[in-house]
Amino acid sequence: MALFLDLDGTLIEIAPTPDAVHVPPELLQVLSALSARLGGALACVSGRAFGELERLVGSSGIALAGSHGAELLAPALPDPRIARMVRECKDALQAWPGALVEQKPCGLALHWRLAPAAEGAVRALGAQLAQQLATHHLKEGKMVLELVPQGANKGSALRALMQQPPWRGRQPVFVGDDYTDISAMQAARALGGRAIAVGPRVAEHADAVFDSPAQVLAWLQQQ
């Protein structure tokens, strides 16, 4: 098996803000041990920036693919256009306390989890950003819109890793919970593997469904 895991909503519970997540120490231990058993064929494929993945799960020693695959196994150089857009977004969302702008090296995310009434404004702002930056497009998640480079998606990341050792020649299994995971779920199945959903959001694209990150952890402990 070659195992590919999303992070937020899959390995850990989604928190009110990206910085407020909790990574159980036992999860890191399980990932480290499982990576060794799989000969290193274990990767976390996430929308989070590579640096954030390193901070949260890097100590487990698993491979990392951040920013929906735009940061494949290594961090990307910061895009100066993104820093300017982040400042503009913060100014535009001042009227919506709780609406957050998350800066990433090659993109950004607009969160409205703490400001549900801001959804319309956030969506309008996201559409405006996508028009301004033709090299990027929008991805939708749970109460978040992300501006990511064209061509960057978790399915492409999974396919790229499957062409390299130690993943090459194995059966891919992807576990995810959100719309941004669908491309990886489809890629795993197309390559003769399996897709597992966490929760009902993308269950129609999966071969099996887990109820929660806790159930994912219990499954990982059995592998």
Side-chain angles (χ1 to χ4, degrees):
M1 177 173 63
L3 187 56
F4 303 89
L5 305 167
D6 173 47
L7 181 60
D8 295 88
T10 297
L11 290 179
I12 59 176
E13 296 286 352
I14 293 176
T17 67
D19 293 336
V21 295
H22 171 65
V23 180
E26 64 200 283
L27 172 62
L28 300 178
Q29 297 168 3
V30 168
L31 292 177
S32 180
L34 183 55
S35 180
R37 290 199 295 274
L38 293 176
L42 172 57
C44 180
V45 185
S46 170
R48 283 187 181 262
F50 190 91
E52 277 292 286
L53 289 182
E54 279 193 314
R55 180 179 68 84
L56 293 170
V57 297
S59 61
S60 65
I62 64 173
L64 305 175
S67 298
H68 301 280
E71 297 184 285
L72 191 63
L73 304 179
L77 293 175
D79 186 334
R81 300 173 300 174
I82 298 300
R84 173 179 55 80
M85 285 187 155
V86 167
R87 292 192 295 270
E88 294 174 356
C89 289
K90 288 181 177 180
D91 290 341
L93 294 176
Q94 282 185 353
W96 303 96
L100 302 176
V101 184
E102 180 186 3
Q103 183 173 348
K104 303 179 182 181
C106 46
L108 61 84
L110 303 172
H111 300 264
W112 66 88
R113 183 172 300 277
L114 295 180
E119 179 178 355
V122 170
R123 290 189 179 278
L125 180 58
Q128 181 182 344
L129 294 177
Q131 287 183 339
Q132 292 177 10
L133 206 57
T135 55
H136 287 57
H137 69 287
L138 288 178
K139 286 185 179 294
E140 180 166 352
K142 294 176 180 176
M143 305 190 82
V144 60
L145 280 179
E146 296 193 53
L147 190 70
V148 303
Q150 294 282 2
N153 62 72
K154 295 181 182 182
S156 296
L158 186 148
R159 289 181 180 275
L161 291 175
M162 285 296 295
Q163 295 176 14
Q164 307 177 28
W167 297 276
R168 188 168 55 213
R170 293 172 177 253
Q171 182 189 58
V173 176
F174 182 86
V175 188
D177 73 304
D178 207 352
Y179 297 143
T180 56
D181 297 314
I182 292 174
S183 63
M185 298 170 85
Q186 292 173 335
R189 298 176 84 179
L191 292 172
R194 294 186 298 144
I196 301 175
V198 184
R201 193 172 177 89
V202 292
E204 64 186 287
H205 300 278
D207 301 291
V209 181
F210 291 136
D211 293 331
S212 65
Q215 194 170 4
V216 175
L217 176 58
W219 176 74
L220 293 176
Q221 289 171 325
Q222 298 170 6
Q223 302 309 304

